[in-house]
């Protein structure tokens, strides 16, 4: 089972217009949607992106909000992992001895807590956390 990072969910938006990374499209086509999760921090990052677009370009903001609301409601209904005390304990350990970037540490903590593989393009950002990682942008179908 997998926890999808923000960059992967954002890439999914490009599928409809044929601009998504072909490796990501191939990997997603092989996945059971029931095995795909995300977390509250990713939901926050997506919302932050929508809010920024709404301020910059109202029309694009409307479309982006519709897409975000639909993908979270359809693909991730009841599969957005919350932050709880256990997540916080795991996250704290990722900051010692060196501070990890805050959002990355929370995302990695959620994946570690639920024994999920973190699916992201930014594997280098998470490598030191010990979370299981997979980069579908480099995926080769067998």
């Amino acid at each position: 089972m997998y926890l999808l990072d923000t960059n992967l969910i954002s890439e999914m938006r490009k599928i409809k217009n044929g601009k998504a990374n072909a490796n990501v499209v191939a990997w997603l086509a092989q996945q059971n949607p029931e095995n795909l999760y995300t977390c509250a921090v990713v939901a926050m990052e997506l919302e932050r992106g929508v809010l920024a677009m709404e301020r910059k370009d109202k029309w694009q903001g409307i479309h982006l909000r519709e897409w975000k609301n639909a993908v979270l409601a359809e693909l991730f209904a009841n599969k957005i992992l919350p932050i709880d005390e256990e997540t916080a304990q795991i996250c704290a350990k990722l900051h010692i001895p060196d501070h990890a970037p805050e959002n990355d540490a929370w995302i990695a903590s959620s994946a570690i807590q639920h024994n999920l593989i973190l699916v992201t393009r930014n594997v280098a950002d998470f490598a030191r956390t010990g979370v299981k990682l997979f980069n579908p942008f480099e995926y080769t179908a067998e």
Side-chain angles (χ1 to χ4, degrees):
M1 297 201 309
Y2 303 96
L3 189 153
L4 304 188
D5 192 14
T6 309
N7 56 53
L8 191 77
I9 296 173
S10 294
E11 188 70 18
M12 292 167 64
R13 183 169 183 255
K14 300 175 187 176
I15 292 172
K16 193 173 174 180
N17 64 11
K19 294 184 178 181
N21 177 281
N23 294 338
V24 170
V25 173
W27 181 78
L28 283 168
Q30 294 183 344
Q31 302 312 307
N32 178 344
E34 293 300 313
N35 293 330
L36 304 178
Y37 291 80
T38 196
C39 66
V41 175
V42 169
M44 179 275 300
E45 289 181 343
L46 292 169
E47 178 64 19
R48 190 173 57 194
V50 169
L51 290 170
M53 182 57 73
E54 288 174 337
R55 291 186 71 175
K56 181 178 164 185
D57 181 331
K58 185 177 179 179
W59 182 248
Q60 286 297 324
I62 290 169
H63 291 292
L64 191 57
R65 178 157 305 282
E66 289 172 355
W67 168 82
K68 184 206 78 133
N69 289 345
V71 77
L72 292 183
E74 294 168 14
L75 184 58
F76 296 107
N78 301 312
K79 296 191 301 174
I80 299 175
L81 304 172
I83 293 173
D84 62 16
E85 185 177 355
E86 184 179 353
T87 322
Q89 295 294 323
I90 295 166
C91 188
K93 291 175 185 174
L94 298 181
H95 289 289
I96 304 299
D98 300 312
H99 278 290
E102 199 66 38
N103 288 356
D104 291 350
W106 285 113
I107 294 166
S109 298
S110 292
I112 291 167
Q113 177 182 2
H114 297 280
N115 197 31
L116 301 174
I117 298 167
L118 177 57
V119 182
T120 183
R121 178 178 232 161
N122 302 332
V123 292
D125 294 349
F126 293 97
R128 73 181 253 340
T129 67
V131 68
K132 293 177 253 178
L133 295 165
F134 176 68
N135 180 356
F137 291 85
E138 297 177 353
Y139 174 74
T140 305
E142 296 175 7

